[in-house]
Amino acid sequence: MQGCDASVLLDDTATSKGEKNAAPNRNSLDGFQVVDAIKSRLEDACPGVVSCADILAIVARDAVVQVQGPSWDVKLGRRDSLRANTSAANTMLPGAFESLATIITKFAAVGLSEDDVASLSGAHTIGRARCSFVAPRLYNFNGTGLPDPTLSTSYSDLLRAFCGPPSTALTSEAPANLDVTTPDVFDNKYFKNLKFSKGLLASDQELLSTPGAATIRLVNAFASNQKAFFAAFARSMVKMGDISPLLAPNGQIRRNCRFVNA
């Protein structure tokens, strides 16, 4: 959480809590076993050379390419952090219930612009979110006892059927697709969905529904031009990878991505 330093890979220990169970990450992040397998093979071939942070950066790029998304040049040479930061993960990561203004402020704090907010939000063209993150929009938006007016009625009905009644949905861990149209393909359908009021999270839909927001222009542009979205996303990923990278002689190259070297 201090930057692109693989701190999120650290497991909880008897003396310190990691970031995996921070509120924005709990039961949302997955695939740690894939990183473990890659690290194990690299350590067998060239021990102490490739950091977990670099593995994450490369895997992020290659995973996007694997589901038909864009590619970009990944800068290498990062080192791994010596600690995780649960409190920072809880406060600095964008949350599903936060306003667009709050999210823009969090991005700005690490040098990312409103344009980056829009393009990086496009990562929600794949992946899933827990029903508990969606339930307030379905049943009691902002304490009104009504559904979120920016949510399509037909989409709301679909989500209610999937997530269940309030008594179930509010605590449900069931994963709903972030992109209802093509959930396993990296494309611009996420932005097209927003134009039809089918953003799963309130923080998704607010990119378009917030009056006067700078992100409105980009949502419309990306919805009509997938190539433009891909180019912007690649630029923003490189920019995000430059957030406070941990470089030698600081940090270390972990032997096991889950634990700091003894």
Side-chain angles (χ1 to χ4, degrees):
M1 205 31 240
Q2 304 306 306
C4 298
D5 59 10
S7 59
V8 72
L9 297 178
L10 291 170
D11 280 349
D12 292 351
T13 68
T15 57
S16 65
K17 295 293 184 181
E19 297 172 16
K20 292 177 180 177
N21 290 311
N25 295 334
R26 187 173 58 252
N27 298 323
S28 294
L29 296 182
D30 201 355
F32 297 113
Q33 70 280 3
V34 176
V35 177
D36 292 338
I38 294 169
K39 181 61 175 174
S40 178
R41 294 187 66 176
L42 282 168
E43 285 300 300
D44 287 342
C46 47
V49 174
V50 183
S51 69
C52 300
D54 276 352
I55 291 172
L56 274 183
I58 295 170
V59 166
R61 189 270 313 275
D62 289 357
V64 169
V65 172
Q66 193 72 14
V67 288
Q68 303 176 38
S71 183
W72 58 91
D73 292 332
V74 176
K75 297 179 183 180
L76 302 176
R78 299 169 181 81
R79 303 274 289 227
D80 299 323
S81 61
L82 300 177
R83 67 185 183 92
N85 192 329
T86 309
S87 61
N90 277 322
T91 58
M92 294 173 63
L93 291 175
F97 303 112
E98 292 180 330
S99 68
L100 178 59
T102 298
I103 291 172
I104 287 172
T105 298
K106 288 186 174 184
F107 272 61
V110 292
L112 298 176
S113 68
E114 293 173 333
D115 286 7
D116 296 316
V117 171
S119 57
L120 291 172
S121 293
H124 284 183
T125 185
I126 54 174
R128 292 156 182 81
R130 302 192 299 271
C131 279
S132 57
F133 284 167
V134 187
R137 298 189 72 201
L138 303 178
Y139 298 108
N140 189 23
F141 183 66
N142 288 345
T144 62
L146 300 171
D148 184 346
T150 69
L151 188 63
S152 156
T153 301
S154 61
Y155 188 38
S156 179
D157 290 344
L158 180 70
L159 290 171
R160 285 172 185 248
F162 177 78
C163 293
S167 58
T168 300
L170 287 169
T171 58
S172 174
E173 302 291 334
N177 291 323
L178 286 161
D179 175 354
V180 68
T181 309
T182 52
D184 298 315
V185 178
F186 198 101
D187 55 22
N188 67 337
K189 296 296 195 302
Y190 165 83
F191 296 103
K192 291 186 177 183
N193 292 339
L194 297 184
K195 291 176 69 68
F196 288 97
S197 300
K198 293 182 178 180
L200 180 68
L201 304 176
S203 55
D204 291 321
Q205 195 62 49
E206 284 190 8
L207 294 172
L208 186 63
S209 66
T210 303
T215 52
I216 294 173
R217 171 184 58 83
L218 285 173
V219 169
N220 288 322
F222 295 157
S224 62
N225 189 332
Q226 180 169 284
K227 186 176 180 180
F229 163 49
F230 279 13
F233 183 82
R235 286 193 300 271
S236 292
M237 285 298 292
V238 172
K239 190 174 176 182
M240 185 167 64
D242 283 336
I243 298 173
S244 305
L246 194 60
L247 304 175
N250 299 309
Q252 63 180 206
I253 295 178
R254 293 186 212 138
R255 291 185 291 272
N256 182 325
C257 291
R258 293 176 181 266
F259 305 101
V260 173
N261 297 343

